[in-house]
Every structure is written in C-alpha cells, then in structure tokens.
Amino acid sequence: MSANQNTAFPRCFSGALKEVAREQGFTEGLYRLESESGSKVGDGFAGDLVKVFIREGDRELVILCKLLPENETRKQQGISLFVRETEAYMQILPLLLKFQTDKALPEHLPRFDNVPRCYYAKTTLDSMESVVIMEDLRLQAYRMWDKANPVDFEHARLLMATLGRLHALSFAMKDQQPEEFAQCREFTDPMTKMLALDPKKTFQKMAASMCRRAIDTLEKDDTYRRGKLELLQDRCVQEIEACVDANAAEPYAVIGHGDCWSNNVMFQYAEDNQTPSKIKLIDWQLSRYGSPVLDLVYFIFNCTDEEMRSHSYQRLLSIYYQSLSEHLHNLGGDVERQFPRSAFREQLKKFGRYGLLIAMLIMPMICTPNDELPDTNKAMEGLVKENPDGDDEVHFEYGTTEKAAIRYRKRMSGCIRDTVRLGYI
C-alpha cells in the first residue's frame, strides 16, 4: 500500500500515520505502509492493536497503533479511557519527564524512563475516533509475563523499584514547581467519570456479583472473613470511589499508573532469559492523581500469590519506599519531610483494601489462560441480562472454565485472607 492510498485505514488513522511518517523523515509519495495484527489473544481488553511498517528504500520504522474497538458497545465504554491515555502520553508524562531531565542527573544514577516512546496520540470525542502510536517494544525483546501465573519475586521487585521512581517525580515536582504541577492535580480518576455515565448501574451490579463470587471462594465455616466481605458487597463502587479520591490522599497524592497488572508491564531479560533486567509500563488508560499505594496494592494483590506475600510483602514495600526515597533525594527532595514512613503506613491502612476491590473485578480475567478467553465483544455485550422485574442478572464469562476456576479459587481466597490479615478491611 502506498502512502497516498490509505483508504484501508480509518481516516483518523491514515492522517496520524502520515504525520508520524513526516516527522520521522520519510518522503511524501515515496514511502509505503503495510500492516498486520499487533496483538495476540489476551494481550489487551480496551482497544485493538495494529502493527504498521513504514518503509522507504532500505529504511523501515515499525510502530504499534492502538485504536478504539470497532464494536460499538466497547467503543462507547472505552472512549474516555483513550482520552485519558492521550492526555497521559501527550501532557502529563512529558511534564514529569522534562522535570527529571532538567535536573541533569549524573549518568550513573537511575531515573524513571520506563514508558514506551509515543509518536502520536489524539482522541476526538465528537467523531468517536482515537489513535495512539507507540514504538513496538517487542523489537527490543521486551515481553509480557504470562498473566495466568503469579509473578516471582524478581519481577515484583523490579516493578516496585520502578514505581518508587515514578512516584518520586510527583513528590519532587509538586514541592519544587507547584504551579507547573497544578495540571497533574486535575488528572482525576477516569473510572469514576465512567461510573457517572452508567445510568443502569451496570458496573455496580457487576461489582456486587463479583463480590459474591469472591465470597464463595472461602470455606463455608470461614464466617469471620465472609462477614467482612458481605459488608462490602453492596458498597463496592462507593469503596472504590473512596480509594481513588485524590483529596483523601493529600498531601501525598501522586501521578500513578493506575492499571498496574501483568498485562500492562513488559520486561526485558538478562542473558539467562530468566532474570528481568529492564521494565516498561504500558497502557496508561487508567492513570490518575491519587494515593501512591494504589499502584502497589493493585499489583501485589492481583499478580503475586499468598505464598509470596507471606514472606515478601513487607520486603516489596520496603524496596518501593527505598527507591522512592533515593530518587526523591536525587531530585532535590526529602522523603522524611514529604512522605515519611508513618505516612506510608497510614496510606496503606487507609487505601490498602483497593487491591482486594480490584481483584474481585479482574482476578477472573487474570486466571483465565489466553487459549480459554471468551470473545471480548460478546462477553461485554452479554454482561447484563435485563429481567422484567428489574433484578438484572450479571453474567461474567471470565474465570468459569475448569482450569481458570481452580486458579481463581486459590488466588482470590488468598487475596481475601491477606487483606483481612493486614487489617485493610
């Protein structure tokens, strides 16, 4: 396909590709575009990925393009998430990274550079169009962890250290450049905006259903833990909204990734092909200004298991805090003044239940092997079956196969036991 014959692409997509090609020095009329599917089953739930090759002579640029799903239901559900990712890549992350660059840190010091290069991102609500164009990290041998298996300590350790540096940027900038940082404070939770546009309360019904399903992973005679969850059952949405309330997290709120689980993290490996050496955070569609502990408990309670948490939970928190402390110091801040350990403990006590609340929603998807995943379009469209009496049924297909159900029962019950043990609920 030549550069001037992009009719196979949506209009907004062809325009975006043309702009990227021009900016990257390709010659109008001489380069050609070729494309193929950019993802495997189970790689992403919120958008469609297309891999595009821009070729001219012996030069080639390979990019990964993220588009709104063609399915109308998923498009309506997902447009606000694309708005957020566009803002993250075009405004917020460049702002934080420029602050870090301006510090001119010595080369030997670690820094936060754990996001893919974004060539282009634009979302237009009026026409319901969105394109996000990034580098394809797989060309640099980055790969995802298999989401159906809990991560090991080395992968979790690397992520905790990375989140420490990400959050340190906010602590440093809001202290040293409060006026420039002000726009980050407006980066409120996108999920609560979506909930406000949910007149049928579909999400609320789904959350209550998923909570009941989580309770059923506990032994019948485990009345204490069952009782704790039953108190949450009809309040899941309100509890999530309370956890993501940035005002409740002040003065410690930061820009966080917001959707920190295995599918949104990619690793590059050392020569042994086992030890992760580098990491990138992808999919910033739920990024937000809020408590720093949200990213931590989201990942730890959804992507590790009860066995690892039994001996490494506090260790992972310490790795995070040490990384945040060191990077904040390198950026000219002071962790004892800006985020003392006592405040960190208080934030965990206040918002730690968020890990469980999210687990009730996404653990079924995590525990479903990719070869057993249902069709995403059908699963989302058939989520709620409306009954005449008003008592709508929620049917969530994920985690229902035999293999997935066994994994789900073990991981979910462990998540509940640890959340109760730590005093988060």
Side-chain angles (χ1 to χ4, degrees):
M1 182 189 307
S2 76
N4 296 320
Q5 294 174 322
N6 293 334
T7 51
F9 293 131
R11 183 171 47 82
C12 68
F13 189 14
S14 59
L17 291 173
K18 198 171 184 178
E19 192 168 319
V20 171
R22 186 176 65 249
E23 286 181 357
Q24 297 306 310
F26 288 90
T27 311
E28 178 77 25
L30 295 182
Y31 67 83
R32 66 188 189 280
L33 302 175
E34 293 176 21
S35 66
E36 63 185 40
S37 174
S39 62
K40 304 191 298 292
V41 173
D43 279 356
F45 294 93
D48 295 332
L49 292 174
V50 179
K51 188 174 185 175
V52 175
F53 304 84
I54 306 178
R55 294 177 173 132
E56 181 182 344
D58 58 1
R59 187 181 169 210
E60 176 183 83
L61 178 67
V62 183
I63 51 180
L64 205 55
C65 307
K66 190 172 182 178
L67 306 169
L68 271 167
E70 289 184 18
N71 177 272
E72 201 55 41
T73 302
R74 287 177 62 209
K75 184 182 283 189
Q76 294 290 340
Q77 291 168 341
I79 184 72
S80 62
L81 300 181
F82 275 79
V83 170
R84 175 48 49 96
E85 189 159 37
T86 297
E87 292 169 341
Y89 278 127
M90 292 290 100
Q91 298 166 32
I92 301 300
L93 287 169
L95 184 76
L96 294 172
L97 293 173
K98 181 182 183 302
F99 172 80
Q100 180 179 247
T101 301
D102 289 348
K103 289 291 179 181
L105 300 176
E107 278 299 313
H108 69 278
L109 290 179
R111 63 205 68 210
F112 180 79
D113 57 359
N114 308 95
V115 293
R117 178 177 180 180
C118 181
Y119 292 98
Y120 180 99
K122 185 176 181 181
T123 301
T124 310
L125 281 170
D126 291 347
S127 55
M128 293 291 284
E129 294 176 330
S130 184
V131 187
V132 179
I133 300 180
M134 301 160 289
E135 64 178 330
D136 187 348
L137 293 168
R138 292 168 299 190
L139 298 178
Q140 300 166 48
Y142 279 91
R143 65 178 190 261
M144 287 177 187
W145 178 271
D146 178 1
K147 69 178 176 58
N149 296 316
V151 300
D152 62 24
F153 179 77
E154 281 304 309
H155 287 79
R157 178 197 64 75
L158 187 55
L159 178 63
M160 290 300 112
T162 301
L163 290 174
R165 288 192 287 274
L166 169 62
H167 296 168
L169 294 176
S170 291
F171 278 113
M173 192 175 181
K174 74 194 287 192
D175 181 53
Q176 298 168 34
Q177 295 181 4
E179 290 181 10
E180 290 88 339
F181 187 79
Q183 61 183 288
C184 294
R185 295 179 185 274
E186 305 302 314
F187 214 53
T188 51
D189 181 67
M191 204 152 57
T192 50
K193 291 178 184 175
M194 287 173 68
L195 294 177
L197 303 171
D198 186 21
K200 293 184 178 178
K201 305 231 178 293
T202 302
F203 188 80
Q204 199 162 311
K205 290 166 188 169
M206 184 183 82
S209 172
M210 301 308 286
C211 186
R212 287 193 295 274
R213 188 167 163 184
I215 292 169
D216 287 340
T217 65
L218 296 169
E219 298 297 330
K220 295 288 185 201
D221 60 359
D222 192 351
T223 52
Y224 178 66
R225 294 187 187 92
R226 280 176 166 266
K228 289 271 191 185
L229 255 70
E230 281 161 5
L231 291 174
L232 286 178
Q233 188 172 297
D234 296 319
R235 289 190 42 78
C236 290
V237 170
Q238 293 95 316
E239 292 289 336
I240 288 172
E241 289 175 333
C243 285
V244 299
D245 179 2
N247 290 327
E250 292 290 23
Y252 308 113
V254 298
I255 292 293
H257 178 273
D259 199 9
C260 229
W261 67 294
S262 306
N263 263 32
N264 294 335
V265 183
M266 295 184 76
F267 297 97
Q268 196 184 70
Y269 290 83
E271 288 182 8
D272 63 5
N273 211 30
Q274 300 293 320
T275 309
S277 56
K278 291 184 181 177
I279 183 173
K280 296 284 185 181
L281 303 180
I282 62 173
D283 199 337
W284 291 74
Q285 293 191 333
L286 286 176
S287 52
R288 69 167 81 83
Y289 182 64
S291 171
V293 308
L294 300 181
D295 282 342
L296 310 185
V297 295
Y298 192 127
F299 185 84
I300 294 174
F301 283 95
N302 285 281
C303 302
T304 70
D305 60 10
E306 190 175 17
E307 183 190 356
M308 192 215 277
R309 291 190 295 269
S310 69
H311 55 72
S312 295
Y313 182 65
Q314 295 301 334
R315 193 172 161 204
L316 289 172
L317 295 181
S318 293
I319 287 165
Y320 162 80
Y321 189 78
Q322 184 65 27
S323 174
L324 185 148
S325 174
E326 288 174 2
H327 198 46
L328 183 54
H329 172 77
N330 293 337
L331 294 169
D334 176 13
V335 78
E336 291 302 325
R337 173 174 63 85
Q338 294 176 258
F339 192 41
R341 281 188 186 273
S342 57
F344 183 30
R345 286 192 294 271
E346 195 59 37
Q347 291 276 306
L348 282 163
K349 190 175 176 183
K350 196 171 182 180
F351 302 111
R353 68 192 185 283
Y354 185 70
L356 171 64
L357 292 164
I358 292 296
M360 291 191 291
L361 300 174
I362 72 168
M363 193 67 82
M365 288 187 276
I366 289 175
C367 293
T368 305
N370 287 346
D371 61 358
E372 294 183 1
L373 283 170
D375 178 84
T376 307
N377 293 338
K378 289 179 182 173
M380 291 305 169
E381 284 185 338
L383 195 58
V384 177
K385 182 181 177 185
E386 296 184 15
N387 290 329
D389 60 7
D391 187 20
D392 298 341
E393 287 178 49
V394 176
H395 179 61
F396 202 65
E397 283 188 58
Y398 297 95
T400 53
T401 63
E402 185 181 358
K403 197 190 300 182
I406 292 168
R407 285 175 169 167
Y408 171 73
R409 184 180 181 87
K410 182 179 180 184
R411 296 272 293 276
M412 193 71 239
S413 61
C415 182
I416 296 167
R417 284 189 291 271
D418 283 345
T419 303
V420 172
R421 172 176 62 83
L422 291 160
Y424 296 161
I425 61 169

